[in-house]
Amino acid sequence: MYQEFYSKSDLLVWPVLALLIFVMIFVGVLAYVFLGLRDQKKIDEMASLPFVSEQETDTRIDPDNHGRNEPVVTDPAHELQDGRTR
Amino acid sequence: MEATNTQMKTVVFDDAIVRAFSIVTVVWGIVAFLAGAWIAAALSFWQVNLDLEWLSFGRLRPLHTNAAIFAFVGNGMFAGIYYSTQRLLKVRMANDFLSWANFWGWQLVIVLAAVTYPLGLTQSKEYAELIWPIDLLVVVVWVVFAINFFWTLAKRNEKNLYVAIWFYISTIVTIAVLYIVNNLQIPTSLTHSYPIFGGVQDALVQWWYGHNAVAFFLTTPPLGLMYYFMVKAAERPVYSYRLSVVHFWSLIFLYIWAGPHHLLYTALPDWAQTLGMIFSVMLWAPSWGGMLNGLLTLRGAWDKLRTDPVIKFFVVAVTFYGMSTFEGPLLSIKSVSALGHYTDWIIGHVHGGALGWNGFMTFGILYWMWPRLYGTKLWSKRLAEWHFWFATIGILMYIVSMWVSGVSQGLFWRAMDAEGYLMYPDFIEGLTNSRAMYATRLAGGVLYLASAFLLVWNLIMTAKQGSPATVSIQVPAKRAEGDKESAWKLLTSAPMLFIGGILVLAIWFGASGGLLSPVLLAVLIVVFVAGIISYGLHQRKWGEWYGLVERHALVFTILALVAILIGGAVEIIPTIIVSEKVPMNITAEMIEADPELAETAKWLQKPYTPLELAGRDVYVSEGCYTCHSQMIRPFRHEVLRYGDYSRLEESLLDFPFQWGSKRTGLDLARVGGKYDHLWHYLHLMDPRSTSPASNMPTYTHFKTKTLDAAVYVGRMRVLAKLGVPYTDEDFARAEARFAQQGQEISDYLSEKGVEVAPNSELVAVIAYLQQLGKTNELPQPATPVEAPAPEAAPAEGEATTAALETAPAGE
């Protein structure tokens, strides 16, 4: 069948090559993710980024207070349950 | 903006821009849903077109799709990105002026689109219908957004780039590439242009863009938003960070290839169709990986589904994402596409994605974000619940009715009797069969629209009970530099050299045509194995490398760009080069030299006469392609119904191509000569007079609007630059031919008792329709003539060959 596929033009080798490139890089990404990425602390750190700013020092400026900062809890209950990511 | 103390500084987020984008998201959402409900009503009740050209289905359909995609989802995307980017990077957007330029520029684009589409100013490329001056504005606004975003990345106070930011980066770079390539065009006036690609090339580039507008405007931004807002709403980190890495890279690499699945069984070369199908099926895996990552983020928090409407919206949105990304690959399988393509099934599929996935995601984000933007709680959870249920029931009614209607249409069109002939030869029977489903679709759409007003009310009341909040955070005064590693060092490190090596080897093999050479293949395998071994020996370093790439915005952007360019280039470049080998003009001498060209010449499209070209431009501007295809697929039932299947050569000179994607009406690829001029006149003036059950709008304005022949001479010159074989003689005689051909059609109609101006749009459209599918006469080898007499130019008024060829059938 592949002879038929290539019979029209030499250029048609490119899609197959690109597929091979994808497969190789995909395998590489999988290898990195499941073999190389073993630092659970780093994984947790990356996965928890959306919570970092508020866990630290989230404040809101009262617009009627001419810019004076007053700490305000914008998102209560930020104790993450089952916080470990995979 | 930033006040520093000894060790910490305050960063004040710009949430005014988020509020502005949120408001217009809702406003344009209502407009988009209203336009959708209106055109759905027009398909059920043709009278809804109101016999006004500005409100015809063909003109309003692009308004609906563009409003839904770019105005509703687009503004929602900007709101979400501006909100989450500042928080994830712990920095205010880089430049307030650029943020507001982005906002007002985008609104201007939307307003211009809303004005130009009803006026019939369009390129007729789906989701890229905007005329060229607005295209330029889109590019400027997008560049402004990109500068602001990447500048913000450069100024950030968080060294790591969260997964949501990766998706935003890929969106920005890919949309820029797609939009520019698909809108390469040559203007002929301030409001008109021709694309530089024609026929099959235009089809491939358009659907490479069209599908990836879905991918990189309607999928990657909401996915990025899902990774932020769903996580925030669930108050849990993403289920699997590892899965998000695989999800991101696989998705952006695979998506870019999937465009040709919109062109299965068309005249697109088979290899491109097969590639599109294979990659679309492969796309299922990363899509579901992302969906599962989203849903599993709710692990341990499913109880919130009962009490929190935001979680409800997100869960249903992600479920619709899973459903759409299952249905998409399914429809991309050629045998399934054979049934579903051109039917309402596709309409159901896209609405599941746009209203189910994108719509619910946007609603969920608004419900979560809006109270925080006003420093208060949501005014009424109960109202949000009602919104949720009405919208869910509405979209389900819509989708299910379109599934039923679409599958019925597919089966109806292909039904054969025992003798192998069409069981339902009259196309209109299929439409009549779908009437009940069209009414159900309309009811579902109206319910979805009505439910959006509950959102509006809830947001207004929420804003009223709060006040615009200004949120700030404290960050270390010394900026955490994620980009401190040199880009050059990262790009020349071992993993990158490994990837680059494979790319170079692949290009080398490809250029030498030696992919199948065992030696070269062995080299590739050796390099790959060497890379694996190197990885095994230096695992930590390789792991660190990717960790550094993740923090380096520039390198990350370059790699994302390379990933999307590979797929696009590999599909488009061969199609362009291969198509170049099909000459646009074949002479008898060329056939003598290469007899194989005779088959090509037999099907090769003839250049349009000036009047036909004018009629075609009217056809394009009316959006006729939204209901009529011009591509007969190689199936017995299509050939029996419409005539011989369409060849690539037959639309080579079509700038833009008009293959279409939906058949609410018949395919028109071979309609030329099937009916006489009077039939077309009656059909355009009142479609019910020739097809009693038709839902087509009337086109009475064709009769009163006239065309200037000189305009089309200019357009012919532009087309000549694009390769259409017009000669100097064609230009010299163009105006006379225009008048001549128009007069002939006008005279014919006059004989039948109908008076129409020869330069009317009606006559031009009839001229265009009458030549559709007329195959070329094979050029005959020139007979030697001793002393050919110079051919005298025909006098004005003398019948031309082209004019004679458009004589009505039966005449």
Side-chain angles (χ1 to χ4, degrees), chain A residues 2 11-15 17-18 22 26 31-33 36-37 45-46 50-52 54 57-61 63 75 77 80-86, chain B residues 90 160-162 231-232 235-242 250 253 257 271 275 299 372 468 470-474 506-507 510 515-516 535 546 570 577:
Chain A
Y2 69 89
L11 290 164
L12 300 185
V13 74
W14 294 104
L17 281 172
F22 166 71
F26 183 68
Y32 163 70
V33 162
L37 197 57
E45 183 193 352
M46 290 297 288
F51 302 103
V52 171
E54 286 141 53
T57 50
D58 198 356
T59 61
R60 183 179 304 137
I61 294 173
D75 279 67
L80 305 180
Q81 298 166 29
D82 190 18
R84 177 144 298 189
T85 190
R86 287 154 181 83
Chain B
K90 296 182 191 165
N160 294 305
L161 297 180
Y162 181 60
V231 159
K232 294 286 284 184
E235 295 173 356
R236 276 158 178 72
V238 61
Y239 168 68
S240 169
Y241 169 73
R242 287 189 175 98
S250 308
F253 191 96
W257 295 76
W271 66 267
L275 265 184
R299 68 203 180 283
R372 287 164 175 79
T470 307
V471 178
S472 66
I473 57 164
Q474 296 288 313
I507 292 168
L515 175 72
L516 301 176
Y535 174 76
Y546 187 73
V570 164
I577 294 174

Coordinates of all heavy atoms in Angstrom, one line a residue, chain A residues 2 11-15 17-18 22 26 31-33 36-37 45-46 50-52 54 57-61 63 75 77 80-86, chain B residues 90 160-162 231-232 235-242 250 253 257 271 275 299 372 468 470-474 506-507 510 515-516 535 546 570 577:
Chain A
Y2 N 2.0 1.2 0.7 CA 2.8 2.4 0.8 C 3.4 2.8 -0.5 O 3.6 4.0 -0.8 CB 4.0 2.2 1.9 CG 5.0 1.3 1.5 CD1 6.2 1.7 0.7 CD2 5.0 -0.1 1.8 CE1 7.2 0.9 0.4 CE2 6.0 -0.9 1.5 CZ 7.1 -0.5 0.8 OH 8.1 -1.3 0.4
L11 N 7.3 14.2 -2.3 CA 7.0 15.1 -1.2 C 6.1 14.4 -0.1 O 6.1 14.8 1.1 CB 6.2 16.3 -1.7 CG 7.0 17.3 -2.5 CD1 6.0 18.2 -3.2 CD2 7.9 18.1 -1.6
L12 N 5.5 13.3 -0.5 CA 4.6 12.7 0.4 C 5.3 11.9 1.5 O 4.7 11.4 2.4 CB 3.6 11.8 -0.3 CG 2.8 12.5 -1.4 CD1 1.8 11.5 -2.0 CD2 2.0 13.6 -0.7
V13 N 6.6 11.9 1.5 CA 7.4 11.3 2.5 C 7.4 12.2 3.8 O 7.5 11.7 4.9 CB 8.9 11.1 2.1 CG1 9.6 12.4 2.0 CG2 9.6 10.1 3.0
W14 N 7.1 13.5 3.6 CA 7.2 14.4 4.7 C 6.1 14.1 5.8 O 6.4 14.1 7.0 CB 7.0 15.9 4.3 CG 8.2 16.2 3.4 CD1 8.3 16.4 2.1 CD2 9.5 16.5 3.9 NE1 9.6 16.7 1.7 CE2 10.4 16.8 2.8 CE3 10.1 16.5 5.2 CZ2 11.7 17.1 2.9 CZ3 11.5 16.8 5.3 CH2 12.2 17.1 4.2
P15 N 4.9 13.9 5.4 CA 3.9 13.6 6.5 C 4.3 12.4 7.3 O 4.1 12.4 8.6 CB 2.6 13.3 5.7 CG 2.8 14.0 4.4 CD 4.2 14.0 4.1
L17 N 7.4 11.3 7.9 CA 8.5 11.8 8.7 C 8.0 12.6 9.9 O 8.4 12.4 11.1 CB 9.5 12.6 7.9 CG 10.4 11.8 7.0 CD1 11.2 12.8 6.1 CD2 11.4 11.0 7.9
A18 N 7.0 13.5 9.7 CA 6.5 14.3 10.7 C 5.8 13.4 11.8 O 5.9 13.7 13.0 CB 5.6 15.3 10.2
F22 N 6.8 13.1 15.6 CA 5.9 13.3 16.7 C 6.0 12.1 17.7 O 6.0 12.3 18.9 CB 4.4 13.4 16.2 CG 3.4 13.2 17.3 CD1 3.2 14.2 18.2 CD2 2.7 12.0 17.4 CE1 2.3 14.0 19.3 CE2 1.8 11.8 18.4 CZ 1.6 12.8 19.4
F26 N 6.9 12.4 21.5 CA 5.9 12.0 22.4 C 6.4 11.0 23.4 O 6.2 11.1 24.6 CB 4.7 11.4 21.6 CG 3.6 11.0 22.5 CD1 2.8 11.9 23.1 CD2 3.2 9.7 22.6 CE1 1.7 11.6 23.9 CE2 2.2 9.3 23.4 CZ 1.4 10.2 24.1
A31 N 8.6 9.7 28.6 CA 9.7 9.3 29.4 C 10.1 10.3 30.5 O 10.3 10.0 31.7 CB 10.9 9.0 28.5
Y32 N 10.1 11.6 30.1 CA 10.4 12.6 31.1 C 9.3 12.7 32.2 O 9.7 12.7 33.4 CB 10.4 14.0 30.4 CG 10.3 15.2 31.3 CD1 11.4 15.4 32.2 CD2 9.2 15.9 31.4 CE1 11.3 16.5 33.1 CE2 9.1 16.9 32.4 CZ 10.1 17.2 33.2 OH 10.0 18.2 34.1
V33 N 8.1 12.6 31.8 CA 7.0 12.8 32.8 C 6.9 11.6 33.7 O 6.8 11.8 34.9 CB 5.7 12.9 32.0 CG1 4.5 12.7 32.9 CG2 5.6 14.3 31.4
G36 N 11.4 10.7 34.5 CA 12.3 11.8 35.0 C 11.7 12.7 36.0 O 12.4 13.2 36.9
L37 N 10.4 12.9 36.0 CA 9.8 13.8 36.9 C 9.4 13.1 38.2 O 8.3 12.6 38.4 CB 8.5 14.4 36.2 CG 7.9 15.6 36.8 CD1 8.9 16.8 36.8 CD2 6.7 16.1 36.0
E45 N 4.5 21.7 44.0 CA 4.7 23.2 43.9 C 4.1 23.7 42.6 O 3.3 24.7 42.6 CB 6.2 23.5 43.9 CG 6.5 25.0 43.8 CD 8.0 25.2 43.5 OE1 8.8 24.2 43.5 OE2 8.4 26.4 43.2
M46 N 4.3 23.0 41.5 CA 3.8 23.5 40.2 C 2.2 23.4 40.2 O 1.6 24.3 39.6 CB 4.3 22.6 39.0 CG 5.8 22.8 38.7 SD 6.1 24.5 38.2 CE 5.5 24.5 36.5
P50 N -1.8 28.1 41.4 CA -3.0 28.9 41.5 C -3.3 29.4 42.9 O -4.1 30.4 43.1 CB -4.1 28.1 40.9 CG -3.5 27.1 40.1 CD -2.2 26.8 40.8
F51 N -2.8 28.7 43.9 CA -3.2 29.0 45.3 C -2.1 29.8 46.0 O -2.4 30.4 47.1 CB -3.4 27.8 46.1 CG -4.5 26.9 45.5 CD1 -4.2 25.8 44.8 CD2 -5.8 27.3 45.6 CE1 -5.2 25.0 44.2 CE2 -6.8 26.5 45.1 CZ -6.5 25.3 44.3
V52 N -1.0 29.9 45.4 CA 0.2 30.5 46.1 C -0.1 31.9 46.5 O 0.1 32.3 47.7 CB 1.4 30.4 45.2 CG1 2.6 31.2 45.9 CG2 1.8 29.0 45.1
E54 N -2.7 33.7 47.1 CA -3.7 34.0 48.2 C -3.2 33.3 49.5 O -3.6 33.8 50.6 CB -5.0 33.4 47.8 CG -5.7 34.4 46.8 CD -6.4 33.6 45.7 OE1 -7.2 32.8 46.1 OE2 -6.1 33.8 44.6
T57 N -0.2 36.5 50.8 CA -0.6 37.8 51.3 C -1.6 38.5 50.4 O -1.3 39.4 49.7 CB 0.6 38.7 51.4 OG1 1.3 38.7 50.1 CG2 1.6 38.4 52.5
D58 N -2.7 37.9 50.4 CA -3.8 38.5 49.5 C -4.5 39.6 50.3 O -5.0 39.4 51.4 CB -4.8 37.4 49.1 CG -5.6 37.9 47.9 OD1 -5.4 39.0 47.5 OD2 -6.4 37.1 47.4
T59 N -4.5 40.8 49.7 CA -5.1 41.9 50.4 C -6.0 42.6 49.3 O -5.8 42.5 48.1 CB -4.1 42.9 50.9 OG1 -3.3 43.4 49.8 CG2 -3.2 42.3 52.0
R60 N -6.9 43.4 49.8 CA -7.7 44.2 48.8 C -7.6 45.6 49.3 O -7.7 46.0 50.5 CB -9.1 43.7 48.8 CG -9.9 44.5 47.8 CD -11.4 44.0 47.8 NE -11.4 42.5 47.5 CZ -12.1 41.7 48.2 NH1 -12.9 42.1 49.1 NH2 -12.1 40.4 47.9
I61 N -7.5 46.5 48.3 CA -7.5 47.9 48.6 C -8.9 48.4 48.6 O -9.7 48.2 47.6 CB -6.7 48.7 47.6 CG1 -5.2 48.3 47.8 CG2 -6.8 50.2 47.8 CD1 -4.3 48.9 46.8
P63 N -11.4 50.9 47.7 CA -11.4 52.1 46.8 C -11.9 53.4 47.5 O -11.5 54.5 47.1 CB -12.3 51.7 45.7 CG -13.1 50.6 46.1 CD -12.4 49.9 47.2
D75 N -10.7 34.6 49.3 CA -11.2 33.2 49.2 C -11.0 32.4 50.5 O -9.9 31.9 50.8 CB -10.3 32.5 48.1 CG -10.8 32.9 46.7 OD1 -10.6 34.0 46.4 OD2 -11.3 32.0 46.0
A77 N -11.3 29.5 53.2 CA -11.2 28.0 53.2 C -10.2 27.6 52.1 O -10.7 26.9 51.2 CB -12.5 27.4 53.0
L80 N -6.2 23.1 51.4 CA -6.4 22.2 50.3 C -6.5 20.8 50.8 O -5.7 20.3 51.6 CB -5.2 22.2 49.3 CG -5.0 23.6 48.7 CD1 -3.8 23.5 47.8 CD2 -6.2 24.2 48.1
Q81 N -7.6 20.1 50.4 CA -7.8 18.7 50.8 C -7.2 17.9 49.7 O -7.3 18.2 48.6 CB -9.3 18.4 51.0 CG -9.9 19.3 52.1 CD -11.4 19.2 52.0 OE1 -11.9 18.3 51.6 NE2 -12.0 20.3 52.5
D82 N -6.6 16.8 50.2 CA -6.0 15.9 49.2 C -5.1 16.7 48.2 O -5.3 16.6 47.0 CB -7.1 15.1 48.4 CG -6.5 14.0 47.6 OD1 -5.4 13.6 47.8 OD2 -7.2 13.6 46.6
G83 N -4.3 17.5 48.8 CA -3.5 18.4 48.0 C -2.5 17.8 47.1 O -1.9 18.5 46.2
R84 N -2.2 16.6 47.3 CA -1.1 16.0 46.5 C -1.6 15.7 45.1 O -2.6 15.1 44.8 CB -0.7 14.7 47.1 CG 0.4 13.9 46.4 CD 1.4 13.2 47.3 NE 2.1 14.2 48.1 CZ 3.2 13.9 48.8 NH1 3.6 12.6 48.8 NH2 3.8 14.8 49.5
T85 N -0.8 16.1 44.1 CA -1.1 15.9 42.7 C -0.3 14.8 42.2 O 0.7 14.4 42.8 CB -0.9 17.2 41.9 OG1 -1.5 17.0 40.6 CG2 0.5 17.5 41.7
R86 N -0.7 14.2 41.0 CA 0.0 13.1 40.5 C 1.0 13.4 39.4 O 0.8 14.4 38.7 CB -1.0 12.0 40.1 CG -1.6 11.3 41.2 CD -3.0 10.8 40.9 NE -3.6 10.2 42.1 CZ -4.2 10.9 43.1 NH1 -4.3 12.2 43.0 NH2 -4.7 10.2 44.1
Chain B
K90 N 1.8 36.8 39.5 CA 2.0 37.7 40.6 C 2.4 39.1 40.1 O 3.4 39.7 40.7 CB 3.0 37.2 41.6 CG 2.5 35.9 42.3 CD 3.6 35.5 43.3 CE 3.3 34.1 43.8 NZ 4.5 33.6 44.6
N160 N 8.0 30.2 38.1 CA 7.4 29.1 37.3 C 6.2 29.5 36.5 O 5.5 30.4 36.8 CB 6.9 28.0 38.3 CG 8.0 27.4 39.1 OD1 9.0 26.9 38.5 ND2 8.0 27.5 40.4
L161 N 6.1 28.9 35.3 CA 4.9 29.1 34.5 C 3.9 28.0 34.7 O 4.2 26.8 34.3 CB 5.3 29.2 33.0 CG 6.3 30.3 32.6 CD1 6.6 30.2 31.1 CD2 5.7 31.7 32.9
Y162 N 2.8 28.3 35.2 CA 1.7 27.3 35.5 C 1.2 26.8 34.1 O 1.2 27.5 33.1 CB 0.7 27.9 36.3 CG -0.5 27.0 36.7 CD1 -0.2 25.8 37.4 CD2 -1.8 27.2 36.3 CE1 -1.3 24.9 37.8 CE2 -2.8 26.4 36.7 CZ -2.6 25.2 37.4 OH -3.6 24.4 37.7
V231 N -9.7 24.5 39.1 CA -8.9 24.2 40.3 C -9.2 25.2 41.4 O -9.4 24.7 42.6 CB -7.4 24.4 39.9 CG1 -6.5 24.6 41.0 CG2 -7.0 23.2 39.0
K232 N -9.5 26.4 41.1 CA -9.8 27.4 42.2 C -11.2 27.1 42.8 O -11.4 27.2 44.0 CB -9.8 28.8 41.6 CG -8.4 29.3 41.2 CD -7.5 29.6 42.3 CE -7.9 31.0 42.9 NZ -6.9 31.3 44.0
E235 N -11.0 24.2 44.8 CA -10.1 24.3 45.9 C -9.2 23.1 46.1 O -8.8 22.7 47.2 CB -10.8 24.7 47.2 CG -11.5 26.0 47.2 CD -12.4 26.3 48.4 OE1 -12.5 25.4 49.2 OE2 -13.0 27.4 48.4
R236 N -8.8 22.6 45.0 CA -7.9 21.5 44.9 C -6.9 21.7 43.8 O -7.3 22.2 42.7 CB -8.6 20.2 44.7 CG -9.2 19.6 45.9 CD -10.4 18.7 45.6 NE -10.8 18.1 46.9 CZ -11.5 18.8 47.8 NH1 -11.8 20.0 47.6 NH2 -11.9 18.2 48.9
P237 N -5.7 21.2 43.9 CA -4.7 21.3 42.8 C -5.2 20.4 41.7 O -5.9 19.5 41.9 CB -3.4 20.9 43.4 CG -3.7 20.1 44.6 CD -5.0 20.6 45.1
V238 N -4.6 20.6 40.5 CA -5.0 19.8 39.4 C -4.7 18.4 39.7 O -3.7 18.1 40.4 CB -4.2 20.3 38.1 CG1 -2.7 20.2 38.3 CG2 -4.7 19.5 36.9
Y239 N -5.5 17.5 39.2 CA -5.4 16.0 39.5 C -4.0 15.5 39.2 O -3.3 14.9 40.1 CB -6.4 15.2 38.7 CG -6.2 13.7 38.8 CD1 -6.4 13.0 40.0 CD2 -5.8 13.0 37.7 CE1 -6.2 11.7 40.0 CE2 -5.6 11.7 37.7 CZ -5.8 11.0 38.9 OH -5.5 9.7 39.0
S240 N -3.5 15.8 38.0 CA -2.2 15.3 37.7 C -1.4 16.3 36.9 O -1.7 16.6 35.7 CB -2.3 14.0 36.8 OG -1.1 13.6 36.3
Y241 N -0.3 16.8 37.5 CA 0.5 17.7 36.8 C 1.2 17.0 35.6 O 1.4 17.5 34.5 CB 1.6 18.3 37.8 CG 2.7 19.0 37.1 CD1 2.4 20.3 36.6 CD2 3.9 18.5 37.0 CE1 3.4 21.0 36.0 CE2 5.0 19.2 36.4 CZ 4.7 20.4 35.9 OH 5.7 21.1 35.2
R242 N 1.6 15.7 35.9 CA 2.3 15.0 34.8 C 1.4 14.9 33.6 O 1.8 15.1 32.4 CB 2.6 13.5 35.3 CG 3.7 13.4 36.3 CD 4.0 12.0 36.5 NE 5.2 11.8 37.4 CZ 5.1 11.5 38.7 NH1 3.9 11.4 39.3 NH2 6.2 11.4 39.4
S250 N 1.0 17.0 23.5 CA 0.3 16.1 22.5 C -0.8 16.9 21.8 O -1.0 16.8 20.6 CB -0.3 14.9 23.2 OG 0.6 14.3 24.0
F253 N 0.5 19.5 19.2 CA 1.2 18.9 18.1 C 0.1 18.3 17.2 O 0.2 18.4 15.9 CB 2.2 17.9 18.5 CG 3.1 17.5 17.4 CD1 4.3 18.1 17.1 CD2 2.7 16.5 16.5 CE1 5.1 17.7 16.0 CE2 3.5 16.1 15.4 CZ 4.7 16.7 15.2
W257 N -2.9 19.2 12.7 CA -3.0 18.3 11.5 C -4.4 18.0 11.1 O -4.6 17.4 10.0 CB -2.3 17.0 11.8 CG -0.9 17.0 12.1 CD1 -0.2 17.4 13.2 CD2 0.2 16.5 11.2 NE1 1.1 17.2 13.1 CE2 1.4 16.7 11.9 CE3 0.2 16.0 9.9 CZ2 2.6 16.4 11.3 CZ3 1.4 15.7 9.4 CH2 2.6 15.8 10.1
W271 N -4.0 11.5 0.2 CA -3.1 11.4 1.3 C -3.3 12.4 2.4 O -3.2 12.1 3.6 CB -1.6 11.5 0.7 CG -1.3 12.9 0.2 CD1 -1.4 13.3 -1.1 CD2 -0.8 14.0 0.9 NE1 -1.0 14.6 -1.2 CE2 -0.6 15.0 0.0 CE3 -0.5 14.2 2.3 CZ2 -0.1 16.3 0.4 CZ3 0.0 15.5 2.6 CH2 0.2 16.5 1.7
L275 N -4.2 11.6 6.3 CA -3.5 12.2 7.4 C -4.4 12.9 8.4 O -4.3 12.8 9.6 CB -2.5 13.3 6.9 CG -1.1 12.9 6.6 CD1 -0.3 14.1 6.2 CD2 -0.5 12.2 7.8
R299 N -11.8 15.3 42.7 CA -11.8 14.2 43.6 C -12.0 14.7 45.0 O -11.3 15.6 45.5 CB -10.5 13.4 43.4 CG -9.3 14.2 43.9 CD -8.0 13.7 43.3 NE -6.9 14.5 43.8 CZ -6.6 15.7 43.3 NH1 -7.3 16.3 42.4 NH2 -5.5 16.3 43.8
R372 N -16.0 38.2 43.0 CA -14.7 38.6 43.5 C -14.3 39.9 42.9 O -13.5 40.7 43.6 CB -13.7 37.5 43.2 CG -13.8 36.2 44.0 CD -13.1 35.0 43.5 NE -13.2 33.9 44.4 CZ -14.3 33.1 44.6 NH1 -15.4 33.3 43.8 NH2 -14.4 32.2 45.5
P468 N -16.7 47.8 42.9 CA -15.5 47.3 42.2 C -14.3 47.2 43.2 O -13.9 48.1 43.9 CB -15.2 48.4 41.2 CG -16.5 49.1 41.0 CD -17.2 49.1 42.3
T470 N -10.4 46.3 44.2 CA -9.1 46.3 43.7 C -8.2 45.4 44.6 O -8.1 45.7 45.8 CB -8.5 47.8 43.8 OG1 -9.4 48.6 43.1 CG2 -7.2 47.9 43.1
V471 N -7.7 44.4 44.0 CA -7.0 43.4 44.8 C -5.5 43.6 44.6 O -5.0 43.9 43.5 CB -7.4 42.0 44.3 CG1 -6.6 40.9 45.0 CG2 -8.9 41.8 44.4
S472 N -4.8 43.4 45.7 CA -3.3 43.5 45.7 C -2.7 42.4 46.4 O -3.4 41.7 47.2 CB -2.9 44.8 46.3 OG -3.2 44.8 47.7
I473 N -1.5 42.1 46.1 CA -0.8 41.1 46.9 C 0.6 41.6 47.2 O 1.1 42.5 46.6 CB -0.6 39.7 46.1 CG1 0.1 40.0 44.7 CG2 -2.0 39.0 45.9 CD1 0.6 38.7 44.1
Q474 N 1.2 41.0 48.2 CA 2.6 41.3 48.6 C 3.5 40.3 47.9 O 3.2 39.1 48.0 CB 2.7 41.2 50.1 CG 1.9 42.2 50.8 CD 2.4 43.6 50.7 OE1 3.6 43.8 50.8 NE2 1.6 44.6 50.4
A506 N 15.6 13.8 9.8 CA 14.3 13.6 9.1 C 14.3 14.4 7.9 O 13.9 13.9 6.8 CB 13.2 13.9 10.1
I507 N 14.7 15.6 8.0 CA 14.7 16.5 6.8 C 15.7 16.0 5.7 O 15.4 15.9 4.5 CB 15.1 18.0 7.2 CG1 13.9 18.5 8.0 CG2 15.3 18.8 5.9 CD1 14.3 19.8 8.7
G510 N 14.1 13.0 4.1 CA 13.0 13.4 3.3 C 13.5 14.0 2.0 O 13.0 13.7 0.9
L515 N 13.6 7.7 2.9 CA 13.0 7.2 4.1 C 13.0 5.7 4.3 O 13.3 5.2 5.3 CB 11.6 7.7 4.2 CG 10.8 7.2 5.5 CD1 11.4 7.9 6.7 CD2 9.4 7.5 5.4
L516 N 12.8 5.1 3.1 CA 12.7 3.6 3.2 C 14.0 2.9 3.1 O 14.1 1.7 3.1 CB 11.7 3.1 2.1 CG 10.3 3.7 2.2 CD1 9.4 3.3 1.1 CD2 9.7 3.4 3.6
Y535 N 19.7 9.8 28.0 CA 18.7 10.2 29.0 C 18.8 9.3 30.3 O 18.8 9.8 31.4 CB 17.3 10.0 28.4 CG 16.2 10.2 29.4 CD1 15.9 11.5 29.7 CD2 15.5 9.2 29.9 CE1 14.9 11.8 30.6 CE2 14.5 9.4 30.8 CZ 14.2 10.7 31.2 OH 13.2 10.9 32.1
Y546 N 14.1 20.3 31.2 CA 12.7 20.6 30.9 C 12.1 21.6 32.0 O 11.3 22.5 31.7 CB 11.8 19.4 30.8 CG 10.4 19.7 30.3 CD1 10.2 20.1 29.0 CD2 9.4 19.8 31.2 CE1 9.0 20.5 28.6 CE2 8.1 20.2 30.8 CZ 7.9 20.5 29.5 OH 6.7 20.9 29.0
V570 N 3.9 20.6 6.9 CA 3.9 19.3 6.2 C 2.6 19.0 5.4 O 2.7 18.4 4.4 CB 4.2 18.2 7.2 CG1 3.9 16.8 6.7 CG2 5.6 18.2 7.7
I577 N 2.8 22.7 -3.6 CA 3.7 22.3 -4.6 C 3.1 21.3 -5.6 O 3.3 21.5 -6.8 CB 5.0 21.7 -4.0 CG1 5.7 22.8 -3.1 CG2 5.9 21.2 -5.0 CD1 6.9 22.3 -2.3

